[in-house]
Every structure is written in C-alpha cells, then in structure tokens.
Amino acid sequence: MSDHQQVRQLTDEQWQAIRHNDVRFDEIFIYAVKSTGIFCRPSCKSRDPKKENVRIFNDAAEALADGFRPCKRCKPGGLRLPDEEWTIQIGEYINEHFQEPLTLEILADMCHGSPYHLQRTFKRITGLTPVEYIQKIRITKAMSELTTTDKSIAEIGVSVGLRNPSYFITLFKMKTGQTPKQYRKLVKEVEVSGEEQ
C-alpha cells in the first residue's frame, strides 16, 4: 500500500453492496481484494471475498496506484486486465493452491472470469490447459517429495492435491513413464552409484 493513500474503512453499507452486487454503488466506490490482488465494482458477480481482505477505493485509478489489477469480469473503470497478466495471475493462484481441489469453475471464480474464456486464454498464452498446468505442478512437487522425504506414496499424493492413491500413481506414470515407487528407487540407485565413484 502506498504511504500517500489513506485507508478507507469498509462500512456495513459498502459490505452489503458488495455482498448483494448492488449496481447503485458502482459509481461511488471500488473494492479490492488483498488475497487476489484484483479490484471490482460493487456489482461484480464474483464470489464474495472475506471481509477482512477487502480494501475500499474512490475509483479505479486509486486501486491501480496501490498495485491492484482490474477484474476481467466487471471491468471496473472501463479497464480490462491484459490476457498475459490474467494468465500470470491464474498461474500464481494455481502455484499457491495446487494442493487444494481445483476446477475450471473454481479458478474462474477466484480469478474473475468465465471457465470457457479462462480455458481458452490460458491455453493460448501458455500452451497448456489449466488442468495440464495443475498436473505439471503437482507431479513436479511429487518428484521433489519422492527424492527428499520418506513419506509414503499415498502421503505424497495427498500433499500435492491428489488424494486418490491409484489416480496419483496412474497420473505420475503417465507423465514420467514410471510409477512413484519406481522413480524413488531409480533416484536412490543413481545417488548410491554416484557416491561409489
């Protein structure tokens, strides 16, 4: 937050306007959500934020100056977040929440867009669908845990957001060519043979 901007307190009236998507307040204030870094009109149909994460601004320019980005859904102040920035924001959200259940609907809701547009835009910019990107992150984290911990295969699956052990093993093999157990064994063998030389 900038030093020169005064933090406005969220009033009950503003909170109710946000919760009820009240269009009458669109020209009165803009709200930003600290956890997502996005700012919206009060009438935005996105998921209700946590009250403690809400910041109030007079207009879009103030929110921008404070480092927040405009919502893709409600385009506050007529501003539109560029697709590249939106894709980065989606990727950051996935990186921080990969161990949680993630669907296109959840991502679209959290990143303020439609599932269809999010899917198309993310694939166009990154070359991967959001699901492929989530799987890539989860498998990369699992590979790291397999080589740096003694956790069981099932525990690692849970820690990377793949709670069904058979699905975790199948996906891991599909992406790496080996089961998690085979991968762990191979890495240990390579480490042992490297130490012997």
Side-chain angles (χ1 to χ4, degrees), residues 81-96:
L81 182 66
D83 287 346
E84 291 77 12
E85 285 185 43
W86 193 43
T87 301
I88 289 168
Q89 175 191 343
I90 295 162
E92 287 171 351
Y93 186 83
I94 292 169
N95 292 341
E96 292 171 19

mmCIF file of all heavy atoms in Angstrom, residues 81-96:
data_model
loop_
_atom_site.group_PDB
_atom_site.id
_atom_site.type_symbol
_atom_site.label_atom_id
_atom_site.label_comp_id
_atom_site.label_asym_id
_atom_site.label_seq_id
_atom_site.Cartn_x
_atom_site.Cartn_y
_atom_site.Cartn_z
ATOM 1 N N LEU A 81 -7.990 -6.163 -17.699
ATOM 2 C CA LEU A 81 -6.699 -6.778 -17.425
ATOM 3 C C LEU A 81 -6.211 -7.475 -18.698
ATOM 4 O O LEU A 81 -6.940 -8.270 -19.277
ATOM 5 C CB LEU A 81 -6.848 -7.795 -16.291
ATOM 6 C CG LEU A 81 -5.599 -8.514 -15.822
ATOM 7 C CD1 LEU A 81 -4.632 -7.520 -15.171
ATOM 8 C CD2 LEU A 81 -5.962 -9.599 -14.828
ATOM 9 N N PRO A 82 -4.993 -7.170 -19.165
ATOM 10 C CA PRO A 82 -4.477 -7.856 -20.357
ATOM 11 C C PRO A 82 -4.419 -9.365 -20.137
ATOM 12 O O PRO A 82 -4.147 -9.835 -19.029
ATOM 13 C CB PRO A 82 -3.069 -7.266 -20.533
ATOM 14 C CG PRO A 82 -3.086 -5.976 -19.781
ATOM 15 C CD PRO A 82 -4.058 -6.172 -18.648
ATOM 16 N N ASP A 83 -4.664 -10.135 -21.203
ATOM 17 C CA ASP A 83 -4.700 -11.595 -21.105
ATOM 18 C C ASP A 83 -3.414 -12.165 -20.522
ATOM 19 O O ASP A 83 -3.446 -13.132 -19.765
ATOM 20 C CB ASP A 83 -4.961 -12.221 -22.479
ATOM 21 C CG ASP A 83 -6.399 -12.038 -22.939
ATOM 22 O OD1 ASP A 83 -7.261 -11.676 -22.101
ATOM 23 O OD2 ASP A 83 -6.664 -12.261 -24.137
ATOM 24 N N GLU A 84 -2.263 -11.589 -20.870
ATOM 25 C CA GLU A 84 -0.988 -12.096 -20.361
ATOM 26 C C GLU A 84 -0.924 -11.953 -18.840
ATOM 27 O O GLU A 84 -0.483 -12.868 -18.142
ATOM 28 C CB GLU A 84 0.196 -11.357 -21.012
ATOM 29 C CG GLU A 84 0.382 -11.653 -22.490
ATOM 30 C CD GLU A 84 -0.607 -10.927 -23.398
ATOM 31 O OE1 GLU A 84 -1.317 -9.989 -22.931
ATOM 32 O OE2 GLU A 84 -0.698 -11.323 -24.570
ATOM 33 N N GLU A 85 -1.345 -10.801 -18.333
ATOM 34 C CA GLU A 85 -1.339 -10.586 -16.878
ATOM 35 C C GLU A 85 -2.336 -11.502 -16.194
ATOM 36 O O GLU A 85 -2.078 -12.019 -15.101
ATOM 37 C CB GLU A 85 -1.662 -9.124 -16.547
ATOM 38 C CG GLU A 85 -0.520 -8.175 -16.810
ATOM 39 C CD GLU A 85 -0.851 -6.762 -16.350
ATOM 40 O OE1 GLU A 85 -1.424 -6.607 -15.252
ATOM 41 O OE2 GLU A 85 -0.545 -5.830 -17.101
ATOM 42 N N TRP A 86 -3.486 -11.693 -16.830
ATOM 43 C CA TRP A 86 -4.511 -12.578 -16.262
ATOM 44 C C TRP A 86 -3.970 -14.001 -16.176
ATOM 45 O O TRP A 86 -4.155 -14.692 -15.173
ATOM 46 C CB TRP A 86 -5.772 -12.519 -17.106
ATOM 47 C CG TRP A 86 -6.979 -13.131 -16.462
ATOM 48 C CD1 TRP A 86 -7.385 -13.006 -15.167
ATOM 49 C CD2 TRP A 86 -7.947 -13.956 -17.094
ATOM 50 N NE1 TRP A 86 -8.559 -13.700 -14.958
ATOM 51 C CE2 TRP A 86 -8.928 -14.293 -16.124
ATOM 52 C CE3 TRP A 86 -8.108 -14.437 -18.395
ATOM 53 C CZ2 TRP A 86 -10.034 -15.081 -16.412
ATOM 54 C CZ3 TRP A 86 -9.219 -15.221 -18.679
ATOM 55 C CH2 TRP A 86 -10.159 -15.546 -17.692
ATOM 56 N N THR A 87 -3.272 -14.441 -17.211
ATOM 57 C CA THR A 87 -2.696 -15.782 -17.226
ATOM 58 C C THR A 87 -1.662 -15.928 -16.114
ATOM 59 O O THR A 87 -1.606 -16.960 -15.433
ATOM 60 C CB THR A 87 -2.074 -16.071 -18.606
ATOM 61 O OG1 THR A 87 -3.100 -15.961 -19.598
ATOM 62 C CG2 THR A 87 -1.471 -17.458 -18.669
ATOM 63 N N ILE A 88 -0.847 -14.908 -15.909
ATOM 64 C CA ILE A 88 0.131 -14.931 -14.812
ATOM 65 C C ILE A 88 -0.594 -15.053 -13.476
ATOM 66 O O ILE A 88 -0.209 -15.844 -12.608
ATOM 67 C CB ILE A 88 1.027 -13.671 -14.847
ATOM 68 C CG1 ILE A 88 1.973 -13.742 -16.043
ATOM 69 C CG2 ILE A 88 1.812 -13.512 -13.539
ATOM 70 C CD1 ILE A 88 2.693 -12.452 -16.348
ATOM 71 N N GLN A 89 -1.669 -14.290 -13.321
ATOM 72 C CA GLN A 89 -2.450 -14.326 -12.083
ATOM 73 C C GLN A 89 -3.036 -15.720 -11.855
ATOM 74 O O GLN A 89 -2.986 -16.247 -10.738
ATOM 75 C CB GLN A 89 -3.570 -13.293 -12.186
ATOM 76 C CG GLN A 89 -4.520 -13.297 -11.033
ATOM 77 C CD GLN A 89 -5.754 -12.446 -11.331
ATOM 78 O OE1 GLN A 89 -5.770 -11.631 -12.242
ATOM 79 N NE2 GLN A 89 -6.782 -12.655 -10.563
ATOM 80 N N ILE A 90 -3.550 -16.346 -12.901
ATOM 81 C CA ILE A 90 -4.116 -17.699 -12.786
ATOM 82 C C ILE A 90 -3.014 -18.676 -12.392
ATOM 83 O O ILE A 90 -3.184 -19.500 -11.490
ATOM 84 C CB ILE A 90 -4.775 -18.129 -14.118
ATOM 85 C CG1 ILE A 90 -5.977 -17.234 -14.431
ATOM 86 C CG2 ILE A 90 -5.197 -19.600 -14.066
ATOM 87 C CD1 ILE A 90 -6.433 -17.282 -15.887
ATOM 88 N N GLY A 91 -1.857 -18.571 -13.041
ATOM 89 C CA GLY A 91 -0.722 -19.437 -12.720
ATOM 90 C C GLY A 91 -0.276 -19.265 -11.280
ATOM 91 O O GLY A 91 0.018 -20.247 -10.589
ATOM 92 N N GLU A 92 -0.225 -18.016 -10.815
ATOM 93 C CA GLU A 92 0.168 -17.753 -9.423
ATOM 94 C C GLU A 92 -0.834 -18.383 -8.460
ATOM 95 O O GLU A 92 -0.459 -18.957 -7.438
ATOM 96 C CB GLU A 92 0.265 -16.243 -9.171
ATOM 97 C CG GLU A 92 1.479 -15.604 -9.811
ATOM 98 C CD GLU A 92 1.469 -14.080 -9.740
ATOM 99 O OE1 GLU A 92 0.438 -13.488 -9.340
ATOM 100 O OE2 GLU A 92 2.495 -13.485 -10.100
ATOM 101 N N TYR A 93 -2.118 -18.275 -8.792
ATOM 102 C CA TYR A 93 -3.141 -18.869 -7.917
ATOM 103 C C TYR A 93 -2.955 -20.388 -7.859
ATOM 104 O O TYR A 93 -2.992 -20.994 -6.781
ATOM 105 C CB TYR A 93 -4.557 -18.514 -8.397
ATOM 106 C CG TYR A 93 -5.593 -18.994 -7.420
ATOM 107 C CD1 TYR A 93 -5.915 -18.237 -6.295
ATOM 108 C CD2 TYR A 93 -6.208 -20.236 -7.573
ATOM 109 C CE1 TYR A 93 -6.831 -18.697 -5.351
ATOM 110 C CE2 TYR A 93 -7.121 -20.704 -6.642
ATOM 111 C CZ TYR A 93 -7.431 -19.923 -5.539
ATOM 112 O OH TYR A 93 -8.325 -20.387 -4.604
ATOM 113 N N ILE A 94 -2.718 -21.011 -9.015
ATOM 114 C CA ILE A 94 -2.511 -22.465 -9.054
ATOM 115 C C ILE A 94 -1.266 -22.836 -8.241
ATOM 116 O O ILE A 94 -1.293 -23.782 -7.447
ATOM 117 C CB ILE A 94 -2.381 -22.963 -10.507
ATOM 118 C CG1 ILE A 94 -3.731 -22.827 -11.239
ATOM 119 C CG2 ILE A 94 -1.894 -24.416 -10.552
ATOM 120 C CD1 ILE A 94 -3.664 -23.039 -12.737
ATOM 121 N N ASN A 95 -0.185 -22.090 -8.422
ATOM 122 C CA ASN A 95 1.066 -22.388 -7.703
ATOM 123 C C ASN A 95 0.881 -22.333 -6.193
ATOM 124 O O ASN A 95 1.509 -23.097 -5.455
ATOM 125 C CB ASN A 95 2.172 -21.417 -8.108
ATOM 126 C CG ASN A 95 2.628 -21.615 -9.539
ATOM 127 O OD1 ASN A 95 2.403 -22.669 -10.132
ATOM 128 N ND2 ASN A 95 3.245 -20.605 -10.105
ATOM 129 N N GLU A 96 0.033 -21.425 -5.724
ATOM 130 C CA GLU A 96 -0.191 -21.271 -4.287
ATOM 131 C C GLU A 96 -1.229 -22.244 -3.734
ATOM 132 O O GLU A 96 -1.271 -22.488 -2.532
ATOM 133 C CB GLU A 96 -0.627 -19.834 -3.983
ATOM 134 C CG GLU A 96 0.472 -18.811 -4.210
ATOM 135 C CD GLU A 96 -0.024 -17.380 -4.116
ATOM 136 O OE1 GLU A 96 -1.115 -17.161 -3.540
ATOM 137 O OE2 GLU A 96 0.666 -16.498 -4.635
#
